Structure formats: structure tokens, C-alpha cells
Amino acid sequence: MDLSRELKTAIKSGNLIFGQNQASDACANGEAMLLIFAVNCPQEYIDGLRARHPDVLMHRTNLVNRELGAACAKPFPISTICVLGEGGSELLSLAPNLD
């Protein structure tokens, strides 16, 4: 799967939010379907989300936050993406890869 292409498709046709605070809020509200993390996203943050929301799928990419921002065509680094709706993408087929 080409993650960059799927992210761009989801941005156009789905519902994504960016950032740690927004992702935490979406998880707390039960809206989050999938969380995608940059490889350099703080482990403490990820562990906290996993402990509070074990039912949400979580996937860590091999992209650093600047690369993840570029993959989303954003001019800023992104460490966390929350998928509320995948639209025409196949993001929800990403396998959870956090131990």
C-alpha cells in the first residue's frame, strides 16, 4: 500500500484530523477509527493512548513527522493522524503494528 497516496485520497474524500490533542479528543469521544503515528512520535503519548483506548487501531509508519506532513501535503510536521472516515482510501486496511 502506498501510504502517501492513500492519505491524499482520504484527505480529499474522507475525514482526517491532525495532531496529538485532536487525536486524543477524538478517541475520548469514540470517533477515532485508526491512529497513524510518525516513527518519532513520543512513545509515552502512544502508550497512554493505547492504555486508555485499546479498541482503537493504531499503526506506526516508518516516516518521521516532517515526512508525514509532506505526505499529507501540509507545510508542517505531523506526528499523529486520526482517521474518522477513510473515504475512498484503504487506510483502515493498515495492520495494527504496535506491540
Side-chain angles (χ1 to χ4, degrees), residues 40-81:
N40 60 340
C41 185
Q43 188 62 44
E44 302 82 31
Y45 169 74
I46 296 171
D47 291 342
L49 279 179
R50 288 177 63 203
R52 291 188 309 274
H53 308 287
D55 54 324
V56 177
L57 299 174
M58 299 184 188
H59 180 84
R60 178 176 271 175
T61 69
N62 59 354
L63 304 172
V64 296
N65 57 357
R66 289 193 183 273
E67 295 170 330
L68 194 55
C72 295
K74 301 295 182 188
F76 48 84
I78 297 172
S79 64
T80 307
I81 299 170

Side-chain angles (χ1 to χ4, degrees), residues 2 5 9 11 20 30 33 36 46 53 67 71-72 84 88 97:
D2 182 0
R5 184 171 38 112
T9 301
I11 289 168
Q20 294 179 2
M33 300 172 79
I36 301 171
I46 296 171
H53 308 287
E67 295 170 330
C72 295
L84 303 177
N97 63 354

Side-chain angles (χ1 to χ4, degrees), residues 2-32:
D2 182 0
L3 182 61
S4 294
R5 184 171 38 112
E6 296 299 326
L7 284 169
K8 287 175 184 164
T9 301
I11 289 168
K12 290 178 184 175
S13 65
N15 189 6
L16 304 182
I17 54 176
F18 307 102
Q20 294 179 2
N21 293 335
Q22 292 85 346
S24 295
D25 291 345
C27 287
N29 294 334
E31 299 171 336

